[in-house]
Amino acid sequence: MNLEEAKKRVEELRKEIEEHNYKYYVLDNPVISDAEYDNLMRELEKLEKKFPELQSPTSPTQRVGGEPLPYFTTVEHPVPLLSLSNVYNEKEIRDFHRRVTAIVEPVQYVVEPKIDGLSVALTYVDGNFEIGATRGNGQVGEDITVNLKTVRTVPLKLRKQVRRLVVRGEAYMPKEDFLRLNKKREEEGLPPFANPRNAAAGSLRQLDPKIAAERSIQVIVYDVLAVEGENIVTHYEALEFLKEAGFKVDNNAKLCETIDEVIEYCEKWHERRHDLPYEIDGLVIKVNDVNVYEDLGTTAKAPRWATAYKFPAEQAVTTVKDIIVRVGRTGVLTPTAILEPVSLAGTTVSKATLHNQDIIDEKDIRIGDRVVVQKAGDIIPEVVEVKKEERTGTEKKYTIPSKCPECGSEVIRPEGEVAVRCTGDLVCPARLREGLIHFVARGAMDIEGLGPSMVDALIKNGLVEDIADIYYIKKEDLLKLERVAEKSANNLLQAIEESKRRPLSRLIFALGIRHVGSRAADILAQNFHSIDALMNATTEELVAIPEIGPKMAESIVKFFEQESNLKVIEKLQQAGVNMEEEPPREQGPKPLDGLKFVITGTLENYSRNEAKEAIENLGGKVTSSVSKSTDYVVVGENPGSKADKAREMGIEILNEEQFEEMLKIK
Ligand code: IVH
């Protein structure tokens, strides 16, 4: 096949594949089998590979997801993406109607499902998909084009000739795919998503488009934000136009002539809401005539020509069989009620979150109680109230345990907080993933090539059980992982090796001690110069440092009190991770580089500060207490116990004369 013939065939294939996509995803009416579809795709892929000059960003082969981005850029929306006011009952729907008819009369409405997803704006230029963005703050969103390109219901090319078109829609994950994804995540030891909305947002806000490509995300479009060369006068027509242009629209949109019809349609959806393959949390009521939008205007955030009717929360009564605690990725212990399974909001519910001890006490929830549960929007329901009149006297009170059920570490309830936390920061399996991601991140140990998916692979394959294990990974282990070849394994090992030399401040930050951000880590490194010294610091010493508050001090002390955390630090040390302040970078090596001094007693020719300065000028460090890492102890008149300690520990002692010699010789 020559280039000319290939070009013709490629175009045919693209057209045919897009046509099948449209039939399958938009019209819900596939006309060929999956196998036939796959054959067409394969043929196209082959041709594009053989004739790279025929590749195109709008080819259906581009849906697999390209290279990861370093970060998302922002885009300004051509028209602000407004949000909606809410109404909750018939009376409020009628109030809305009254406000509308005060300005326009008569009025038709379109009522359509309110999909619980992520609002996106899609821009097309000359029929090609150019930009896909999140809503963001309504004015400016994030450019997630690479991820939206993987979504089959986002046409890469329009089926209509339009110079410029900007549409708005909802990206969502169908309920079935959501349940499947969560099941898989639980099997892999990953935290499940709370609801399909979070799952959709989590998938589209990933920098690696391969992740979005693997997840079943769809987009239903419901608004034309801007169009050139079309005269659309009603919302209903807009939906028709969008469908013809190739978008998936909600076929349940209904044109209503009266407000009674609107109310009836809203109520009808109370029972039907769970029949849809995607989660909806209400219906959107929109004035049909687009020309009156300007007359109706908008409030600060929401238009006056539309409103959202929100479904009431659904409730059921059941029994609390048990209360267990789950440890979240930040170490918070969340009590969860195990319920007698009950049917609620279209699913069987067997768990409810109890949030924290205060809520349990306040609502007086006991094991064995009959309770009212409710689903507000999240998949995990909550207990609204206890049916105390149904108590038999056998119900048992509950208190959150004092040890973490995952790792056995002590739990604390920091002052002023309702949450109880596990203190096994570095060892708790429930926290390992987040801890590792933080440890290797850019502002921390900065290990290139160790992103979240690699972290997941390492945990899944049992290669790391704590953060220090990173430094013990062997090449043969890496090569066993999927998608890791010789070269990337070498690169990763080298990056890990290099990270051992990061400055102390980075290590302190990387440990993920609660409340210790990168600025605090810098201050701690400057004041303590080594992990050893920081480890021995008392709360009083810590709070004496400007910018270190009591909350942070308490958190640091607690962190280093945990035997398990200390073990991990020891493992890091043994692996050769730098645990001391880095030598100054500006100049070349200095004679006392890396040497640590302690001064005790009074020197004849030097004040304390002068001696300190002299040492530091030559690159040495002066610390206040004698430890294993001390190299020399300078002893003057009337020395304190530090001299004895140095002798005991076998650390070299210098009298003033020897000290002076050292300064000269060196
Ligand atoms: S219309 C000014 N239609 O609901 C027009 N919104 O609570 C505003 N939503 O941010 C949007 N389905 O993300 C509209 N059929 C639908 C919708 C819908 C879901 C979302 C949208 C919006 C939120 C407002």
Side-chain angles (χ1 to χ4, degrees):
M1 197 183 268
N2 63 26
L3 181 64
E4 202 51 36
E5 287 161 344
K7 186 165 179 237
K8 200 166 149 251
R9 181 65 186 143
V10 161
E11 274 165 14
E12 262 169 32
L13 282 166
R14 285 180 187 159
K15 220 165 161 194
E16 207 177 331
I17 291 169
E18 285 300 352
E19 191 61 34
H20 288 305
N21 267 347
Y22 185 66
K23 292 212 165 87
Y24 183 92
Y25 289 104
V26 179
L27 303 182
D28 257 336
N29 183 22
V31 292
I32 57 167
S33 70
D34 287 1
E36 284 170 295
Y37 179 87
D38 289 347
N39 281 340
L40 294 174
M41 273 300 263
R42 228 164 294 144
E43 189 185 344
L44 178 58
E45 273 161 14
K46 252 199 206 146
L47 282 175
E48 287 182 357
K49 208 164 172 189
K50 199 165 160 205
F51 299 95
E53 56 270 62
L54 296 181
Q55 277 170 13
S56 150
T58 55
S59 170
T61 54
Q62 298 303 301
R63 304 243 190 226
V64 290
E67 289 302 304
L69 298 176
Y71 52 83
F72 288 125
T73 50
T74 51
V75 273
E76 196 164 330
H77 299 303
V79 185
L81 303 197
L82 302 171
S83 66
L84 290 170
S85 59
N86 294 321
V87 291
Y88 293 92
N89 49 45
E90 182 184 335
K91 181 186 166 291
E92 289 178 7
I93 296 177
R94 289 193 190 279
D95 288 346
F96 165 73
H97 177 60
R98 214 163 293 125
R99 289 194 297 272
V100 170
T101 48
I103 296 168
V104 284
E105 181 108 73
V107 60
Q108 283 179 324
Y109 293 103
V110 175
V111 183
E112 58 197 35
K114 182 170 182 303
I115 303 156
D116 198 9
L118 180 77
S119 204
V120 293
L122 313 172
T123 302
Y124 289 79
V125 179
D126 292 330
N128 295 325
F129 178 44
E130 290 271 316
I131 307 168
T134 62
R135 175 171 182 268
N137 64 6
Q139 309 280 342
V140 177
E142 268 175 341
D143 184 339
I144 54 165
T145 313
V146 291
N147 290 332
L148 284 169
K149 269 191 164 178
T150 69
V151 174
R152 299 286 197 277
T153 38
V154 171
L156 298 176
K157 261 181 175 316
L158 296 180
R159 299 166 65 84
K160 268 182 173 254
Q161 283 299 321
V162 194
R163 181 47 215 117
R164 211 177 99 83
L165 175 69
V166 187
V167 301
R168 178 172 178 183
E170 204 76 358
Y172 62 92
M173 185 178 287
K175 285 190 276 197
E176 237 176 61
D177 297 284
F178 165 74
L179 293 174
R180 206 174 311 131
L181 173 66
N182 262 0
K183 195 157 162 250
K184 186 167 149 250
R185 285 175 72 85
E186 293 213 55
E187 277 163 17
E188 289 170 0
L190 297 170
F193 287 109
N195 50 47
R197 177 177 11 99
N198 289 5
S203 307
L204 290 176
R205 301 192 60 245
Q206 293 274 354
L207 292 168
D208 184 354
K210 296 245 162 24
I211 297 175
E214 279 166 13
R215 310 245 174 103
S216 326
I217 305 291
Q218 305 222 359
V219 170
I220 281 186
V221 159
Y222 48 71
D223 203 9
V224 174
L225 290 173
V227 61
E228 273 176 32
E230 290 281 332
N231 187 24
I232 298 171
V233 292
T234 68
H235 179 60
Y236 207 71
E237 265 177 46
L239 294 176
E240 208 43 51
F241 163 78
L242 288 167
K243 191 167 171 177
E244 280 165 18
F247 295 100
K248 185 179 174 77
V249 297
D250 201 315
N251 290 323
N252 298 297
K254 183 178 157 73
L255 184 63
C256 298
E257 298 291 338
T258 65
I259 198 66
D260 290 330
E261 221 181 306
V262 168
I263 292 164
E264 197 190 319
Y265 198 60
C266 286
E267 281 171 355
K268 187 165 133 193
W269 274 96
H270 278 195
E271 298 104 61
R272 284 182 37 186
R273 61 182 289 197
H274 303 301
D275 300 347
L276 288 174
Y278 40 86
E279 196 86 35
I280 64 171
D281 60 347
L283 292 140
V284 184
I285 306 167
K286 298 175 182 170
V287 170
N288 192 32
D289 185 351
V290 173
N291 290 323
V292 301
Y293 287 7
E294 216 170 291
D295 297 336
L296 287 161
T298 61
T299 64
K301 273 197 274 166
R304 288 205 190 81
W305 42 265
T307 194
Y309 167 69
K310 291 283 200 74
F311 293 134
E314 290 168 278
Q315 299 189 334
V317 177
T318 185
T319 307
V320 177
K321 289 202 301 191
D322 197 3
I323 297 177
I324 59 161
V325 283
R326 294 168 174 244
V327 188
R329 59 192 171 80
T330 57
V332 172
L333 273 66
T334 308
T336 305
I338 304 296
L339 306 171
E340 191 64 56
V342 62
S343 169
L344 172 65
T347 52
T348 304
V349 164
S350 54
K351 283 183 207 127
T353 174
L354 300 177
H355 301 288
N356 56 54
Q357 187 73 48
D358 284 4
I359 301 265
I360 297 179
D361 295 346
E362 211 175 279
K363 294 185 178 163
D364 191 15
I365 301 165
R366 304 181 190 181
I367 299 170
D369 267 340
R370 295 279 292 161
V371 291
V372 179
V373 286
Q374 154 178 315
K375 253 189 186 180
D378 279 359
I379 282 291
I380 303 172
E382 54 183 9
V383 172
V384 187
E385 58 174 351
V386 174
K387 297 219 154 237
K388 294 199 178 128
E389 67 283 4
E390 291 186 32
R391 277 195 178 147
T392 61
T394 56
E395 295 77 13
K396 279 198 277 311
K397 284 203 176 194
Y398 177 83
T399 315
I400 293 181
S402 58
K403 293 245 157 64
C404 171
E406 291 277 347
C407 69
S409 302
E410 218 187 299
V411 303
I412 52 161
R413 178 171 173 173
E415 230 183 271
E417 287 185 27
V418 287
V420 167
R421 281 172 197 282
C422 158
T423 52
D425 300 59
L426 298 186
V427 285
C428 191
R431 313 176 54 186
L432 182 59
R433 180 176 190 267
E434 293 305 310
L436 269 175
I437 289 174
H438 173 75
F439 187 79
V440 303
R442 212 167 281 157
M445 298 305 265
D446 195 4
I447 304 183
E448 217 186 303
L450 230 179
S453 53
M454 189 64 185
V455 164
D456 288 345
L458 294 176
I459 296 176
K460 195 173 137 200
N461 289 279
L463 295 182
V464 291
E465 281 173 6
D466 61 47
I467 54 172
D469 284 339
I470 291 179
Y471 294 100
Y472 296 85
I473 297 172
K474 295 195 199 66
K475 189 161 151 189
E476 58 261 36
D477 295 331
L478 285 177
L479 290 175
K480 282 184 209 140
L481 303 178
E482 249 175 73
R483 287 199 228 155
V484 179
E486 180 87 15
K487 187 158 174 251
S488 50
N490 285 340
N491 287 348
L492 180 56
L493 288 174
Q494 199 189 335
I496 291 173
E497 194 55 35
E498 275 167 18
S499 76
K500 291 181 182 172
R501 297 194 292 271
R502 298 278 175 261
L504 174 66
S505 55
R506 296 282 204 99
L507 175 67
I508 297 174
F509 174 59
L511 290 174
I513 306 168
R514 221 169 115 68
H515 303 303
V516 178
S518 60
R519 163 111 188 106
D522 281 347
I523 296 169
L524 291 169
Q526 278 158 24
N527 278 273
F528 291 95
H529 311 291
S530 75
I531 282 284
D532 258 1
L534 179 62
M535 218 142 69
N536 293 324
T538 61
T539 315
E540 293 74 41
E541 282 167 342
L542 286 163
V543 290
I545 301 168
E547 290 191 66
I548 308 286
K551 214 163 151 184
M552 198 195 301
E554 185 197 54
S555 168
I556 295 167
V557 170
K558 281 268 176 225
F559 181 92
F560 289 113
E561 264 171 22
Q562 267 308 312
E563 199 56 43
S564 44
N565 290 341
L566 298 182
K567 276 204 189 117
V568 174
I569 290 174
E570 204 178 300
K571 256 171 92 175
L572 287 169
Q573 193 153 27
Q574 273 163 11
V577 174
N578 172 46
M579 303 238 154
E580 296 175 355
E581 194 164 67
E582 61 165 353
R585 270 188 241 131
E586 324 84 67
Q587 297 136 358
K590 289 183 175 175
L592 299 184
D593 268 353
L595 295 178
K596 285 200 168 162
F597 291 74
V598 170
I599 309 168
T600 177
T602 320
L603 300 173
E604 228 178 274
N605 300 323
Y606 299 86
S607 74
R608 260 302 159 81
N609 266 340
E610 284 166 351
K612 187 165 181 270
E613 232 179 344
I615 293 171
E616 286 174 351
N617 282 341
L618 292 173
K621 292 260 135 48
V622 178
T623 58
S624 53
S625 60
V626 177
S627 76
K628 274 193 297 207
S629 64
T630 309
D631 297 291
Y632 296 103
V633 176
V634 182
V635 179
E637 284 291 324
N638 301 320
S641 62
K642 287 177 195 169
D644 298 334
K645 192 167 173 197
R647 237 167 257 127
E648 262 170 44
M649 291 176 72
I651 293 168
E652 196 165 342
I653 290 176
L654 304 175
N655 58 27
E656 187 162 358
E657 214 178 282
Q658 289 166 319
F659 174 54
E660 264 187 297
E661 270 318 299
M662 178 175 261
L663 294 181
K664 267 190 237 147
I665 294 168
K666 297 266 180 177

